[in-house]
PDB file of all heavy atoms in Angstrom:
ATOM      1  N   GLU A  25      54.119  23.580 114.082  1.00 47.00           N
ATOM      2  CA  GLU A  25      52.857  24.032 113.522  1.00 47.00           C
ATOM      3  C   GLU A  25      51.724  23.092 113.905  1.00 47.00           C
ATOM      4  O   GLU A  25      50.610  23.523 114.192  1.00 47.00           O
ATOM      5  CB  GLU A  25      52.969  24.136 111.989  1.00 47.00           C
ATOM      6  CG  GLU A  25      53.903  25.231 111.512  1.00 47.00           C
ATOM      7  CD  GLU A  25      53.477  26.598 112.001  1.00 47.00           C
ATOM      8  OE1 GLU A  25      52.263  26.865 112.025  1.00 47.00           O
ATOM      9  OE2 GLU A  25      54.354  27.390 112.385  1.00 47.00           O
ATOM     10  N   ALA A  26      52.030  21.787 113.908  1.00 42.00           N
ATOM     11  CA  ALA A  26      51.002  20.811 114.279  1.00 42.00           C
ATOM     12  C   ALA A  26      50.572  21.024 115.730  1.00 42.00           C
ATOM     13  O   ALA A  26      49.403  20.897 116.082  1.00 42.00           O
ATOM     14  CB  ALA A  26      51.538  19.388 114.101  1.00 42.00           C
ATOM     15  N   LYS A  27      51.562  21.353 116.569  1.00 49.00           N
ATOM     16  CA  LYS A  27      51.276  21.594 117.979  1.00 49.00           C
ATOM     17  C   LYS A  27      50.328  22.767 118.156  1.00 49.00           C
ATOM     18  O   LYS A  27      49.518  22.811 119.079  1.00 49.00           O
ATOM     19  CB  LYS A  27      52.588  21.849 118.718  1.00 49.00           C
ATOM     20  CG  LYS A  27      52.445  21.964 120.225  1.00 49.00           C
ATOM     21  CD  LYS A  27      53.813  22.170 120.857  1.00 49.00           C
ATOM     22  CE  LYS A  27      53.693  22.298 122.370  1.00 49.00           C
ATOM     23  NZ  LYS A  27      55.001  22.532 123.017  1.00 49.00           N
ATOM     24  N   LYS A  28      50.431  23.755 117.246  1.00 68.00           N
ATOM     25  CA  LYS A  28      49.614  24.951 117.354  1.00 68.00           C
ATOM     26  C   LYS A  28      48.218  24.757 116.779  1.00 68.00           C
ATOM     27  O   LYS A  28      47.364  25.618 116.944  1.00 68.00           O
ATOM     28  CB  LYS A  28      50.308  26.120 116.651  1.00 68.00           C
ATOM     29  CG  LYS A  28      51.558  26.612 117.377  1.00 68.00           C
ATOM     30  CD  LYS A  28      52.154  27.823 116.693  1.00 68.00           C
ATOM     31  CE  LYS A  28      53.352  28.347 117.456  1.00 68.00           C
ATOM     32  NZ  LYS A  28      53.943  29.549 116.812  1.00 68.00           N
ATOM     33  N   GLU A  29      48.011  23.625 116.074  1.00 76.00           N
ATOM     34  CA  GLU A  29      46.676  23.370 115.535  1.00 76.00           C
ATOM     35  C   GLU A  29      45.679  23.243 116.676  1.00 76.00           C
ATOM     36  O   GLU A  29      45.945  22.627 117.702  1.00 76.00           O
ATOM     37  CB  GLU A  29      46.683  22.089 114.693  1.00 76.00           C
ATOM     38  CG  GLU A  29      47.378  22.245 113.349  1.00 76.00           C
ATOM     39  CD  GLU A  29      47.282  20.985 112.514  1.00 76.00           C
ATOM     40  OE1 GLU A  29      46.559  20.057 112.927  1.00 76.00           O
ATOM     41  OE2 GLU A  29      47.942  20.934 111.464  1.00 76.00           O
ATOM     42  N   GLY A  30      44.536  23.839 116.495  1.00 90.00           N
ATOM     43  CA  GLY A  30      43.515  23.810 117.532  1.00 90.00           C
ATOM     44  C   GLY A  30      43.601  24.968 118.503  1.00 90.00           C
ATOM     45  O   GLY A  30      42.707  25.138 119.333  1.00 90.00           O
ATOM     46  N   LEU A  31      44.681  25.765 118.416  1.00 97.00           N
ATOM     47  CA  LEU A  31      44.804  26.944 119.259  1.00 97.00           C
ATOM     48  C   LEU A  31      44.221  28.163 118.544  1.00 97.00           C
ATOM     49  O   LEU A  31      44.265  28.254 117.327  1.00 97.00           O
ATOM     50  CB  LEU A  31      46.271  27.220 119.602  1.00 97.00           C
ATOM     51  CG  LEU A  31      47.024  26.118 120.351  1.00 97.00           C
ATOM     52  CD1 LEU A  31      48.465  26.554 120.598  1.00 97.00           C
ATOM     53  CD2 LEU A  31      46.338  25.767 121.665  1.00 97.00           C
ATOM     54  N   THR A  32      43.695  29.087 119.305  1.00 97.00           N
ATOM     55  CA  THR A  32      43.157  30.325 118.739  1.00 97.00           C
ATOM     56  C   THR A  32      44.276  31.350 118.625  1.00 97.00           C
ATOM     57  O   THR A  32      44.920  31.698 119.616  1.00 97.00           O
ATOM     58  CB  THR A  32      42.040  30.889 119.635  1.00 97.00           C
ATOM     59  OG1 THR A  32      40.982  29.926 119.723  1.00 97.00           O
ATOM     60  CG2 THR A  32      41.491  32.191 119.054  1.00 97.00           C
ATOM     61  N   LYS A  33      44.518  31.828 117.413  1.00 98.00           N
ATOM     62  CA  LYS A  33      45.576  32.799 117.169  1.00 98.00           C
ATOM     63  C   LYS A  33      45.112  34.191 117.589  1.00 98.00           C
ATOM     64  O   LYS A  33      44.059  34.674 117.144  1.00 98.00           O
ATOM     65  CB  LYS A  33      45.927  32.820 115.682  1.00 98.00           C
ATOM     66  CG  LYS A  33      47.009  33.807 115.293  1.00 98.00           C
ATOM     67  CD  LYS A  33      48.376  33.277 115.600  1.00 98.00           C
ATOM     68  CE  LYS A  33      49.455  34.179 115.046  1.00 98.00           C
ATOM     69  NZ  LYS A  33      50.802  33.644 115.287  1.00 98.00           N
TER      70      LYS A  33
END
Side-chain angles (χ1 to χ4, degrees):
E25 292 301 321
K27 186 178 180 181
K28 290 184 177 181
E29 287 184 7
L31 300 180
T32 299
K33 179 80 172 183

